[in-house]
């Protein structure tokens, strides 16, 4: 069985070494990168199961590294950053990160979050004899196995979390989900900023579905309650 490999991308050597020390005790194989370009090369050259990224790295920042990773890969990404504002956290999650921790940090908490993300990732990637159904509504087709979305025959590129939100709502048409409920089901965790994170994801998801120009509203806001699929 292949050893799980984790990428640590941080230009602060002491922090990278501290993270590696704790994760090695868990039996993980570690690859380190000191800047964004090294991180991209590592992802291209090795089978990475999870990435821990600093945001303020030389060459390419963590946001750009995440954008490039998400073009081809779905492994969990955890931001570990000195940027502590709510906007920074929401931006990181919207771009495609699965979790966000701020510096200074508790190494044991980071290990716990790494283990949790890996458990979810392994569960999602296990073969399932009962395949999830392809959902169709009007001109929208959502394939959970291929992770593809087509709108009137045109491919719609979504981040992993945008896809999960859309599939959750479309799979329970007319059911109203609160923002916190969506966050718990899609991210698998309770988070005090979860409502804001979901709101931003819904906004970008609507834009990609053309709701700023088309009359057809796929995602309906139920004011004071949450969101529902309107297909």
């Amino acid at each position: 069985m292949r050893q799980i490999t984790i990428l640590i991308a941080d230009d602060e050597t002491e922090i990278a070494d501290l993270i590696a020390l704790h994760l090695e005790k868990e039996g993980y194989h570690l690859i380190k990168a000191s800047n964004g370009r090294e991180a991209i090369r590592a992802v291209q050259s090795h089978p990475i199961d999870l990435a821990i990224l600093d945001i303020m790295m030389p060459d390419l920042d963590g946001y750009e590294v995440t954008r490039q990773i998400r073009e081809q890969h779905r492994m969990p990404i955890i931001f570990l950053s000195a940027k502590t504002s709510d906007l920074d956290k929401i931006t990181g999650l919207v771009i495609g990160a699965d979790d966000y921790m701020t510096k200074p940090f508790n190494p044991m908490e980071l290990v716990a979050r790494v283990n949790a993300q890996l458990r979810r990732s392994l569960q999602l990637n296990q073969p399932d004899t009962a395949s999830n159904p392809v959902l169709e509504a009007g001109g929208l087709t959502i394939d959970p196995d291929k992770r593809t979305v087509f709108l009137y025959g045109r491919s719609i590129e979504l981040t992993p979390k945008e896809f999960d939100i859309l599939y959750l709502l479309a799979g329970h048409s007319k059911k109203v989900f609160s923002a916190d409920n969506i966050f718990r089901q899609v991210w698998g965790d309770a988070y005090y900023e979860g409502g804001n994170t979901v709101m931003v994801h819904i906004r970008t998801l609507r834009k990609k579905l053309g709701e700023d120009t088309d009359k057809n509203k796929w995602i309906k806001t139920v004011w004071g309650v949450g969101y529902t699929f309107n297909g």
Side-chain angles (χ1 to χ4, degrees):
M1 184 176 180
R2 181 176 67 83
Q3 189 177 19
I4 292 176
T5 299
I6 296 176
L7 169 65
I8 303 170
D10 198 310
D11 60 330
E12 297 183 70
T13 305
E14 297 83 0
I15 290 181
D17 290 344
L18 177 63
I19 297 170
L21 176 66
H22 284 81
L23 290 177
E24 283 171 349
K25 293 178 181 178
E26 297 288 309
Y28 298 129
H29 173 61
L30 285 308
I31 295 175
K32 298 178 188 176
S34 60
N35 60 61
R37 294 194 187 280
E38 286 184 9
I40 293 297
R41 284 197 294 269
V43 171
Q44 293 172 342
S45 306
H46 304 276
I48 304 296
D49 297 288
L50 180 142
I52 300 172
L53 306 179
D54 186 21
I55 292 178
M56 295 180 289
M57 291 188 292
D59 294 337
L60 296 175
D61 65 19
Y63 293 148
E64 181 57 29
V65 171
T66 299
R67 288 189 189 97
Q68 293 192 28
I69 288 176
R70 283 291 176 248
E71 289 176 358
Q72 296 183 332
H73 303 282
R74 291 171 50 199
M75 86 280 282
I77 295 174
I78 299 176
F79 274 136
L80 183 62
S81 174
K83 297 170 77 70
T84 61
S85 75
D86 291 352
L87 179 60
D88 292 323
K89 296 174 185 177
I90 292 172
T91 299
L93 293 169
V94 168
I95 285 173
D98 298 276
D99 202 350
Y100 194 114
M101 286 188 68
T102 58
K103 301 176 182 178
F105 64 99
N106 183 326
M108 297 309 298
E109 181 183 355
L110 176 59
V111 170
R113 294 194 185 203
V114 165
N115 290 337
Q117 290 295 337
L118 286 170
R119 281 196 303 271
R120 293 177 196 129
S121 177
L122 292 173
Q123 289 171 359
L124 287 173
N125 290 322
Q126 284 181 350
D128 189 354
T129 54
S131 178
N132 291 319
V134 174
L135 302 179
E136 296 184 356
L140 187 67
T141 302
I142 311 168
D143 189 325
D145 294 328
K146 296 179 181 177
R147 305 282 294 187
T148 57
V149 176
F150 287 89
L151 181 60
Y152 302 117
R154 177 172 60 91
S155 177
I156 306 296
E157 296 297 327
L158 302 181
T159 68
K161 290 296 184 285
E162 288 168 354
F163 181 92
D164 291 341
I165 290 172
L166 180 61
Y167 191 75
L168 172 67
L169 295 177
H172 301 81
S173 183
K174 306 304 180 185
K175 179 178 178 179
V176 180
F177 289 86
S178 70
D180 288 341
N181 193 355
I182 292 172
F183 192 89
R184 283 195 298 270
Q185 295 203 45
V186 171
W187 276 265
D189 198 5
Y191 191 47
Y192 75 98
E193 292 158 2
N196 288 334
T197 302
V198 169
M199 180 180 68
V200 177
H201 276 74
I202 292 287
R203 186 185 306 148
T204 58
L205 183 53
R206 281 172 164 162
K207 188 172 183 178
K208 290 181 179 181
L209 292 173
E211 294 200 351
D212 54 340
T213 55
D214 295 346
K215 293 181 179 180
N216 191 2
K217 292 285 185 181
W218 297 105
I219 300 173
K220 180 182 177 182
T221 298
V222 180
W223 296 108
V225 183
Y227 305 95
T228 186
F229 187 74
N230 200 34

